[in-house]
Amino acid sequence: MKNVLLIGLGRFGRYTASKLYDLGHQVMAVDKNEERVSKVLNYVTNAVIGDGTDKEFVSSLGVENFDLCIVAIGDDFLASLETTSLLKDFGAKKVVARATKASQEKFLLRNGADYVVFPERQLGSWTAIRYSSDNIENFFELMDGYGVYEIKVPQGWENHKVGEMDVRKKYGVNILGIHNPGEKINMNISYDTTFHKDESMLILGTNDKVQKILKE
């Protein structure tokens, strides 16, 4: 469990707060808009009305006591930048800041952000890949062009063994698991694991390698 300070309670901030709550973390939520603060009261440890660009206010939060600080401000880049800088000035251990366009990233990193996230860009990428093929069930983007894909087992693979298909050598991907509808994902993949009809598989690889499988 981590103590998290979350500043900015627009839609992205509220969703992040809710997910952190589901994961069992303690969250202090901050926004200068009272209505936004009231919307998260049921799933945060504490909620405070305040301005992240106000030096005295930020100093009163005990920033150094939080394991993670998230700046989720998306409608005012200058405020996001000032908030990020103040958090680092007051001893924040780790700061994650939201950006809405690529040009903002370098400024956030220079002013104290340890990591920068692009919710709209990342969701756009997920949507394009997820729905560009009827055979992709889910997708999670990693770094350097890699991702974890859940795709339907190709018809030509049915009733064949993993080792027999020589997937890693032929396609350049790794099979992490196989999911049979109604059952738990089988993550214990071996040479003798067999593909069956209506199953999906979790694979690790680059998009071009996955597309090669999808064309079969």
Side-chain angles (χ1 to χ4, degrees), residues 118-202:
F118 298 84
E120 291 84 359
R121 187 172 74 181
Q122 290 162 340
L123 180 58
S125 175
W126 181 90
T127 301
I129 292 175
R130 166 64 180 84
Y131 292 103
S132 63
S133 171
D134 293 336
N135 291 319
I136 296 179
E137 303 288 340
N138 210 338
F139 164 72
F140 180 77
E141 188 174 16
L142 302 176
M143 62 181 66
D144 298 327
Y146 282 86
V148 176
Y149 299 75
E150 181 181 0
I151 68 173
K152 296 177 182 177
V153 170
Q155 187 175 0
W157 295 23
E158 294 173 7
N159 301 316
H160 290 283
K161 295 180 180 180
V162 171
E164 180 184 352
M165 297 302 299
D166 202 8
V167 175
R168 184 181 299 177
K169 183 177 181 180
K170 185 176 180 181
Y171 299 96
V173 302
N174 291 306
I175 299 192
L176 306 178
I178 295 178
H179 184 213
N180 194 320
E183 300 180 6
K184 293 183 177 180
I185 297 176
N186 174 21
M187 302 296 287
N188 187 24
I189 305 301
S190 68
Y191 180 96
D192 293 322
T193 300
T194 303
F195 298 108
H196 297 105
K197 183 179 180 180
D198 297 327
E199 289 182 336
S200 61
M201 53 187 180
L202 293 180

Side-chain angles (χ1 to χ4, degrees), residues 53 76-83:
T53 67
D76 186 341
F77 177 62
L78 182 58
S80 177
L81 197 63
E82 291 179 1
T83 300

Side-chain angles (χ1 to χ4, degrees), residues 58-71:
V58 175
S59 70
S60 71
L61 295 174
V63 171
E64 71 280 359
N65 297 317
F66 291 93
D67 301 301
L68 170 65
C69 296
I70 301 175
V71 181

Side-chain angles (χ1 to χ4, degrees), residues 4-9 13-14 17 21 26-51 57 61 66:
V4 182
L5 173 62
L6 173 64
I7 301 178
L9 297 174
R14 291 196 300 272
Y21 174 81
Q26 293 188 335
V27 181
M28 173 180 279
V30 175
D31 198 287
K32 58 184 179 181
N33 184 300
E34 183 178 357
E35 183 179 355
R36 287 182 173 182
V37 171
S38 66
K39 289 181 179 180
V40 302
L41 291 175
N42 292 330
Y43 47 86
V44 297
T45 310
N46 194 10
V48 180
I49 301 171
D51 187 349
F57 172 72
L61 295 174
F66 291 93

